[in-house]
Amino acid sequence: MSHFSILDVMRHPDGLGPFFKGGTWAAWESFLAALFALPMDDDALALYQHHTGRVTAPIVPFEEAATIVGRRGGKSRILALIAVYLACFRNYAPHLAPGEAATIAVIAADRKQSRSIFRYALGMIEAIPSMKALIKDQTADSIVLHNQVVLEITTASLRATRGYSFAAVLVDEIAFLRTDETSANPDVEILQAIRPGLASIPGSMLLLASSPYAKAGVLWETFRDYYGRDDGDVLVFRGTTRELNSTIAQRVIDKAYERDPASAAAEHGAEFRSDLESYVSREAAEACVEVGRHELPRLPGVRYTGFVDASSGSGSDQFTCAIGHREQDVAVLDLVRARKPPFSPQAVVAEYCDTLKQYGITSVCGDRYAGGITAEMFEKQGIKYIPSERSRSEIYIDFLPMLNSGKTRLLDHPKMISELCALERRSSRGGGRDVVDHPARIGSDDIINSAAGALVLTLSERGPMIISDDMLARARSRQGSRPTPTRAGRRFA
């Protein structure tokens, strides 16, 4: 192990000092001193106590830490510094098999975000000749060093993170990680896949960093369980934008608070948002799923309802369609369709109209996307398009009691359930109904929007009556031998 500490490397004018000119890095230096259990003077200790809520300076390095930081607070540069120090100043060879590499992985919500830290790290390595000489190979996503270390960008996926021997994993913006997995908390799944790879190298580190968001997920749970605990084995460090980066003008922060206080408190004040909550529990959602049911055929005598969420065919939004029907007081989802861009809207409309007609549907409801253009495309195919009287958020508000009371039957569609469980509910600024939407800056709800729209409509209208065998038996006992239908679940319009 090198006799240089990370603070030596950070501060030295012939080291990485030039990367940390301007502003003050004292608060971050206190974090690094705590992370690596380096000595602290009185000023550093005071900063450590302020940002961690702890009292006693640590005497052993941490293997896991979380930084909860206001935006533009400098965390990407600090994460890059840690990655470079661990890659270039530690020897992992005794813990590696021949041909095996110690990986230092940078994970973020997307590769573009990961590359910010990656570019910082590459710039730092190339700035010092002795470190630059370590580079064996380099691609857009990885740096291979001669000392059996690979620094690389890794996809935020529980599958992509398996099979590595990790010297460190740096997860940036973990509060905003999302995947299409069926887990209620995909960030948990990702970390579970990472931890076995950290176990094979002593002293390996797991570092989580993010501006905060809702009071849910790994970052919130880590803050709740470990912030301010001197006996905690996870270091939690929190700082506002201005505390960690004094070069950001106060007027910028003030304007952000004027525009949206709740958002600014999270983005710049490093506070978890109190105006957000989960829309529905995964338990309630999965209780409504008919396991193994992926689609239902049309049944005679049943009135069906359709709903579409239109898209232009470019960008990231999908064009989706759902069909449902009513059985007594229960809304049943029969079918969902989704088309990812790129596509021709006219071709998708024609396809969906054929499907709607197969279920006897002559009019479909949908959002007000693109004004009358969507309506014209449907009407050219013989289907009347009716703009929804409810907004997307209002549909979700009306759908919630159906979920919680079990008065809906959902298809076994993992992506749809993932979208449903990711929805967030926030208080309305004007004091009216709450707002429900997919998470800000991430996620989508195209499939569940169509499904919820179709199901809410089915219970808003007078639906078909369902006659069960028990009802038929009671009717026969009262009415004698009058002929009655005998097939279980016979439906009458």
Side-chain angles (χ1 to χ4, degrees):
M1 184 173 292
S2 168
H3 62 279
F4 291 106
S5 74
I6 191 169
L7 292 179
D8 293 332
V9 176
M10 178 186 185
R11 293 167 176 167
H12 202 288
D14 295 328
L16 298 180
F19 284 86
F20 297 95
K21 287 182 177 179
T24 174
W25 293 90
W28 279 118
E29 288 179 356
S30 74
F31 165 71
L32 294 172
L35 182 64
F36 289 91
L38 303 174
M40 299 186 199
D41 59 22
D42 290 343
D43 290 340
L45 180 61
L47 286 169
Y48 162 78
Q49 292 169 337
H50 171 72
H51 290 290
T52 65
R54 295 180 179 229
V55 176
T56 306
I59 58 175
V60 295
F62 287 91
E63 294 184 357
E64 187 166 337
T67 61
I68 301 166
V69 181
R71 295 189 73 185
R72 309 303 301 170
K75 63 179 172 56
S76 294
R77 206 175 304 188
I78 292 297
L79 288 179
L81 167 65
I82 295 171
V84 169
Y85 179 76
L86 295 176
C88 298
F89 290 86
R90 285 193 170 177
N91 178 22
Y92 303 104
H95 312 296
L96 300 172
E100 187 180 16
T103 299
I104 297 174
V106 179
I107 299 175
D110 56 52
R111 287 184 174 270
K112 183 178 180 181
Q113 199 169 58
S114 299
R115 287 193 177 96
S116 175
I117 297 172
F118 185 80
R119 284 194 294 267
Y120 275 131
L122 178 60
M124 292 177 185
I125 292 173
E126 291 182 332
I128 300 176
S130 60
M131 292 199 302
K132 185 176 182 180
L134 287 173
I135 298 178
K136 180 180 180 180
D137 192 17
Q138 177 187 335
T139 69
D141 294 337
S142 67
I143 305 169
V144 181
L145 304 180
H146 285 287
N147 61 356
Q148 289 183 269
V149 176
V150 178
L151 197 161
E152 71 176 41
I153 297 171
T154 301
T155 305
S157 163
L158 63 94
R159 296 184 182 88
T161 52
R162 295 179 183 272
Y164 287 86
S165 293
F166 289 118
V169 177
L170 292 69
V171 188
D172 194 20
E173 298 295 357
I174 188 170
F176 301 96
L177 284 187
R178 290 293 187 274
T179 71
D180 291 340
E181 304 300 332
T182 60
S183 170
N185 295 297
D187 49 2
V188 173
E189 299 282 347
I190 291 169
L191 296 190
Q192 286 177 346
I194 287 170
R195 284 195 166 93
L198 290 164
S200 60
I201 298 180
S204 58
M205 286 187 173
L206 174 61
L207 304 178
L208 314 178
S210 188
S211 52
Y213 192 59
K215 293 180 178 179
V218 164
L219 189 68
W220 162 248
E221 291 169 0
T222 302
F223 172 76
R224 180 194 63 198
D225 295 342
Y226 294 102
Y227 183 79
R229 283 188 50 187
D230 278 299
D231 61 341
D233 58 359
V234 178
L235 176 64
V236 179
F237 178 92
R238 181 170 70 164
T240 68
T241 298
R242 285 274 297 168
E243 286 176 332
L244 302 178
N245 185 358
S246 60
T247 65
I248 302 297
Q250 183 62 46
R251 59 180 173 78
V252 174
I253 309 297
D254 293 341
K255 287 182 178 179
Y257 273 90
E258 289 174 6
R259 288 191 298 268
D260 188 337
S263 176
E267 297 282 276
H268 298 292
E271 298 177 10
F272 287 91
R273 295 187 65 154
S274 59
D275 62 328
L276 297 176
E277 62 182 49
S278 176
Y279 166 71
V280 67
S281 70
R282 175 161 288 270
E283 291 76 15
E286 291 186 339
C288 297
V289 174
E290 296 290 337
V291 178
R293 177 188 288 179
H294 304 291
E295 191 167 305
L296 290 173
R298 181 185 181 183
L299 295 172
V302 175
R303 185 166 64 241
Y304 290 91
T305 303
F307 194 99
V308 296
D309 185 351
S311 171
S312 66
S314 58
S316 60
D317 289 342
Q318 299 182 81
F319 197 144
T320 62
C321 174
I323 294 174
H325 74 274
R326 178 175 179 170
E327 294 184 359
Q328 296 180 341
D329 61 346
V330 175
V332 178
L333 184 62
D334 295 85
L335 171 151
V336 290
R337 294 280 190 271
R339 182 64 65 86
K340 296 180 179 180
F343 56 75
S344 163
Q346 292 86 352
V348 175
V349 167
E351 175 189 333
Y352 287 172
C353 285
D354 286 343
T355 301
L356 293 167
K357 291 173 184 177
Q358 291 172 17
Y359 284 79
I361 296 173
T362 58
S363 64
V364 68
C365 191
D367 60 22
R368 298 178 182 274
Y369 176 82
I373 298 176
T374 303
E376 290 178 7
M377 288 191 292
F378 274 90
E379 289 176 4
K380 284 181 180 179
Q381 299 294 327
I383 297 290
K384 184 178 180 180
Y385 185 91
I386 304 172
S388 174
E389 295 179 356
R390 298 175 177 88
S391 68
R392 178 178 302 223
S393 181
E394 289 170 337
I395 288 171
Y396 291 140
I397 294 293
D398 292 342
F399 188 45
L400 183 59
M402 296 166 58
L403 291 165
N404 288 332
S405 64
K407 291 190 174 181
T408 185
R409 295 289 179 265
L410 301 178
L411 297 174
D412 191 347
H413 193 295
K415 180 65 168 65
M416 179 184 69
I417 302 304
S418 179
E419 289 184 357
L420 173 60
C421 293
L423 291 173
E424 293 175 342
R425 183 173 185 163
R426 70 186 65 184
S427 302
S428 171
R429 295 185 192 175
R433 298 187 87 185
D434 288 355
V435 176
V436 178
D437 202 351
H438 61 76
R441 301 190 348 209
I442 53 172
S444 65
D445 62 346
D446 303 317
I447 299 174
I448 190 58
N449 180 49
S450 285
L455 293 170
V456 167
L457 278 178
T458 65
L459 294 191
S460 300
E461 303 172 352
R462 180 176 176 81
M465 181 173 64
I466 308 300
I467 305 296
S468 67
D469 281 344
D470 289 342
M471 294 172 65
L472 292 172
R474 288 195 297 271
R476 283 194 296 267
S477 66
R478 290 194 304 266
Q479 301 176 15
S481 59
R482 179 185 298 177
T484 55
T486 58
R487 188 168 66 87
R490 179 70 60 88
R491 294 162 172 81
F492 296 87

